[in-house]
Amino acid sequence: MSIEDTSTPTSSSSRLQRYADWAVYAVFIVIILGAPMVIDDVFWLNRISKYLVFGMLGIAIALSWGYAGILNLGQGLFFGLGAYMTAMSLKLMSATSLQQGSDKPVPDFMLWNAEPGAVTDLCCINKGSFLWIPFQSQWFGMAMSIVIPLIVAFVLSSSIFRLRVSGVYVAIITLALVLLVRLLLIDAQPITNGFNGLTDLGWLTIGGFEFDPYMVETYYVVAISLTVVLLLGRWLVSTRAGLILQSTRDDPTRARYLGYDVAAYQIFFFTISAGIAGFAGLLYVVAAEFASPSFMDIGFSISMVVWAAVGGRNSLIGACIGAILINTVEATVSETEIFKEAWKLIIGGVFVLVVLYMPNGLAGIARDLLARFERRRKGAPAETAPKAAE
Amino acid sequence: MNEALTIDGLTVDFGGFKAVDGFTTVVQKGELRVILGPNGAGKTTLMDLVSGKTASTQGTVHLFGENITNRPEHIIARHGIGRKFQIPSVFRDLTVRQNLEVAASGEPGVFRNLRLHMAAEDRARVEDVIALTRLEPVLGTIAGELSHGQMQWLELGMLITQQAKVILLDEPTAGMTHAETFRTAEIINEMKGSHTILVVEHDMAFVRKIAERITVMHMGKLLAEGPMEKIETDPKVREAYLGSGGIH
Ligand SMILES: Nc1ncnc2c1ncn2[C@@H]1O[C@H](COP(=O)(O)OP(=O)(O)OP(=O)(O)O)[C@@H](O)[C@H]1O
Ligand SMILES: [Mg+2]
């Protein structure tokens, strides 16, 4: 990174800071799990569940950008892939797919464009429709939401990092790739419904229970998923591998000379980050009931980076909260038309300011305040205070 | 096996210019070898070739009998070569302790490192090195905020923690104050015997403090090799240094 960083998540190793860190996690989890007890408006709950999904995207960005130093400007690719995989299954479960005059489900848009005389069956209604066959199983679609992003990210990052591509080139490659896939997706109209995306979806159904997006149970699915991802992510960056990853970010050459295969660490964490984005795509479809090529718009991928930057890219929970906050504020101001346009300018300006003046975002500010408090309490400069050998 | 590092006819050709040209030497286990040579003699390039940063065009490098010629850097490192760069190279955003902990991992693989705690022996090694390098007062400090000398000691400490069998040091006292240079000589002398060390150095006072055997390089070739007294009186060496301002 060209921007001076003076602190990283794990550098704050004082006991107070560690407790404060865990306290933030605990409070956050209590709030998101407790929200339905305070908010009874199901429309707001549904909205919030979408923002929680964006919070999960914030975590994915922080993992690759903050911890691995890999700026992925195409995270929307993995989010979009994850969304489409689940949306395909839910589309086949939709009432509209079962009313096309066949005893097996067929998406309505396939019939609208079918050649005259084509058999109304996924096998052969058009050339690519057979790809939909396994998605008749909801579990297959959901599994693919994570597996496909993992595979794509693994193949992509293996070629990028083995060739030691880094910095801005990774950003350009990922950006170009999301654009390309978006075009292909729109182009494959017969099987993707092109621009219109997949709409009129059925509900996620587990053991006969239907997760209507406007039910508190669906909110809990998202909130619990976010909690699990947050804690798993936190564990991951606290492991030895997480520390080694940060070392490869700081100085890849030094890490190599210590015997680490730097590319392997980059590939692993890039791929995990993509898997999280894919999972977020799955949840988004469950809560929002559609998948659209707009998930792969460049603007959306860049927004994710802005959320993480504002919240603090060096902090998983910071980036997560940043995403939720920005989206909540945006939803509130977007009610009026004038603000809706102005919002883009505001958020652009905020991003520039954050990058220039607070590279560690809100999480960085919180950490600095705590460090200042600690120093005052001790009456000595905390950073150079000797630490007893353990 | 007493031959730690065997360099045989090592050559690199940068489009017609041979920065290292048919260089041959054998470093014994536990030896401390100083490499002298005027600016541009090819000392740093030699270290690049041995450590895998630059691919050689001819010749071989063996480490305890194993051929490590032109392998990737991390593989060479795992075979036991540790390297300190001319410009201090530490993980600037991590604390001093974290820097040492990264160096201590006996396991290089990603999946093997998906655990929260270090092995007890790795942790013990970190503590030993902290004592040797006297870094305890700054363990919690971000490495980027260390003084120049402390940063160099940290890097040295990382090589020891890494358990490198052969350590390459490129100008470890460059830019150091007198006191810092003295402390560095102490650290290197303490490492002597238990580590095999190859050190490039310009500071003759420092060289006298640590040197056993000296190799002089000139224009990519080996010019002379032997103990300090012999090197200082060698007419070939005097001549080479005359061309570049004399032995400092
Ligand atoms: N990649 C390269 N391509 C072309 N020439 C190079 C390359 N690397 C080094 N050289 C040249 O090789 C010669 C030897 O350089 P090297 O850095 O090894 O010298 P050195 O002995 O370490 O000198 P110093 O004492 O100044 O550090 C120099 O003339 C340098 O310009
Ligand atoms: Mg040099």
Side-chain angles (χ1 to χ4, degrees), chain A residues 97-266:
Chain A
S97 300
L98 294 164
Q99 292 162 354
Q100 304 303 330
S102 162
D103 50 347
K104 282 183 235 149
V106 177
D108 48 10
F109 67 86
M110 288 191 186
L111 267 111
W112 302 338
N113 302 304
E115 304 265 331
V119 194
T120 308
D121 191 310
L122 283 178
C123 73
C124 23
I125 185 161
N126 64 40
K127 261 190 271 168
S129 61
F130 71 93
L131 290 171
W132 278 65
I133 293 174
F135 288 88
Q136 292 175 76
S137 152
Q138 166 197 293
W139 296 110
F140 178 81
M142 288 168 69
M144 287 304 113
S145 282
I146 297 168
V147 173
I148 297 287
L150 286 179
I151 293 175
V152 172
F154 179 77
V155 172
L156 172 69
S157 60
S158 298
S159 36
I160 291 181
F161 298 123
R162 288 284 166 219
L163 291 172
R164 295 201 185 166
V165 176
S166 67
V168 71
Y169 297 101
V170 178
I172 293 170
I173 291 170
T174 49
L175 191 86
L177 195 70
V178 70
L179 264 180
L180 177 76
V181 174
R182 180 178 167 280
L183 280 179
L184 292 176
L185 192 73
I186 293 173
D187 205 47
Q189 209 274 339
I191 52 169
T192 62
N193 202 22
F195 258 117
N196 302 316
L198 303 176
T199 51
D200 279 329
L201 305 184
W203 289 333
L204 172 72
T205 309
I206 298 175
F209 187 91
E210 295 191 314
F211 284 88
D212 173 346
Y214 294 94
M215 274 184 355
V216 67
E217 283 82 356
T218 307
Y219 173 87
Y220 275 122
V221 168
V222 176
I224 292 171
S225 300
L226 178 60
T227 304
V228 170
V229 167
L230 189 61
L231 292 177
L232 273 178
R234 172 71 201 206
W235 169 76
L236 208 53
V237 297
S238 311
T239 61
R240 310 262 322 130
L243 182 63
I244 295 164
L245 175 76
Q246 293 174 67
S247 84
T248 69
R249 169 202 65 197
D250 282 5
D251 191 337
T253 306
R254 171 40 76 211
R256 259 177 222 123
Y257 279 101
L258 291 176
Y260 296 113
D261 182 0
V262 170
Y265 280 83
Q266 292 172 321

Side-chain angles (χ1 to χ4, degrees), chain B residues 44 86 170-171:
Chain B
T44 299
Q86 218 163 333
D170 202 350
E171 304 199 23

